[in-house]
Amino acid sequence: MSEAGVDGAVIVQPINHMFDHSLVTSVLKKYPSKFVGCCLANPADDGTGIKQLEHLIVQEKYRAVRFNPNLWPSGQKMTNEVGRSLFSKAGELGVPLGIMTMKGVGPYIQEIEELCRDYPATTVILDHMAFCKPPTNDEEEKAFSSFLSLSRFPQVYVKYSALFRITREAYPYEDTAQLLSSVISHYGASRVMWGSDFPYVVPECGYKGGREAISHVASKIPVSQSDLEWILGKTVSQLFQGAWVTP
């Protein structure tokens, strides 16, 4: 982070550790002015994840939560009773909720729309551009259009992150410029934020390389200096106010 000129970051609970948050919790306590924690929602049928969420936010001071639809029990949707309870609880607690659509946004668009419509108090972050690559066919065009149309919900933000996952080219991922341009046009830069996808970015282009790719891609559109400042820090600082104030 220091090498890349990054002052603070959001750490998302790694899926490798599932719902054991002890590692991330220890890091948050060690570096309280450096990191903000995003916990992982547990959508177990018995509803225990709702109490876990409340504990992590209230007691352990996490400031966001992630939905991974792949963790829902087989055949269940994010809009089931537990999903709705978790989603509304995030809004009640005032924490943004990230959605990680590893299989692309298409299969989940109706669920996301339903949750956003029914719980407007819950801020949503679409991780990794909802895994939309530059579209090459009608199906991908439809998915990308659906992703852009979520901008009609004012509580939805976009994480322009993990460029190596959403590109069809080698570094520095210039083909993602068209994606970024469309996202800024629909959402506005104040609802877009960069994310590194550390540690997975390291073998791809390095953490610093991932940060530098943003400026390179932005220069191709071009993105105004003001918009770039929102993407590289102002948006996330607004979402997590007071998080990176030096004690």
Side-chain angles (χ1 to χ4, degrees), residues 59-112:
Q59 302 298 324
E60 303 295 352
K61 308 303 180 186
Y62 283 74
R63 294 192 57 177
V65 57
R66 169 176 279 177
F67 266 26
N68 184 331
N70 294 333
L71 295 177
W72 260 250
S74 180
Q76 297 287 309
K77 295 183 176 181
M78 292 184 288
T79 47
N80 69 0
E81 185 178 351
V82 169
R84 286 175 164 274
S85 295
L86 288 165
F87 196 94
S88 61
K89 177 62 73 173
E92 180 187 317
L93 294 170
V95 297
L97 185 148
I99 302 180
M100 176 86 151
T101 57
M102 291 284 293
K103 296 176 181 177
V105 73
Y108 308 109
I109 194 72
Q110 290 183 331
E111 295 167 58
I112 296 170

Side-chain angles (χ1 to χ4, degrees), residues 119-198:
Y119 305 101
T122 301
T123 297
V124 171
I125 301 171
L126 300 172
D127 289 327
H128 306 335
M129 294 274 286
F131 289 82
C132 290
K133 291 186 176 185
T136 57
N137 57 47
D138 289 346
E139 184 181 356
E140 291 172 352
E141 286 280 6
K142 183 180 178 182
F144 188 53
S145 294
S146 297
F147 159 65
L148 294 176
S149 75
L150 290 171
S151 62
R152 70 187 187 276
F153 298 105
Q155 75 267 36
V156 177
Y157 290 69
V158 174
K159 201 185 287 181
Y160 178 60
S161 50
L163 270 59
F164 62 90
R165 296 186 190 275
I166 59 172
T167 185
R168 299 185 189 278
E169 297 181 357
Y171 184 85
Y173 319 127
E174 284 187 13
D175 63 335
T176 66
Q178 60 174 288
L179 304 177
L180 180 59
S181 179
S182 296
V183 165
I184 292 173
S185 296
H186 284 77
Y187 287 85
S190 62
R191 289 163 64 192
V192 182
M193 70 201 84
W194 169 65
S196 68
D197 198 24
F198 179 89

Side-chain angles (χ1 to χ4, degrees), residues 31-54:
Y31 302 100
S33 62
K34 182 68 69 175
F35 298 117
V36 165
C38 175
C39 61
L40 182 63
N42 179 358
D45 280 334
D46 61 7
T48 53
I50 299 161
K51 285 188 177 179
Q52 290 173 9
L53 172 61
E54 194 154 20

Side-chain angles (χ1 to χ4, degrees), residues 14-33:
I15 190 69
N16 320 59
H17 296 279
M18 290 300 284
F19 308 114
D20 175 3
H21 288 72
S22 55
L23 174 62
V24 174
T25 300
S26 70
V27 173
L28 297 178
K29 289 178 177 175
K30 188 173 182 180
Y31 302 100
S33 62

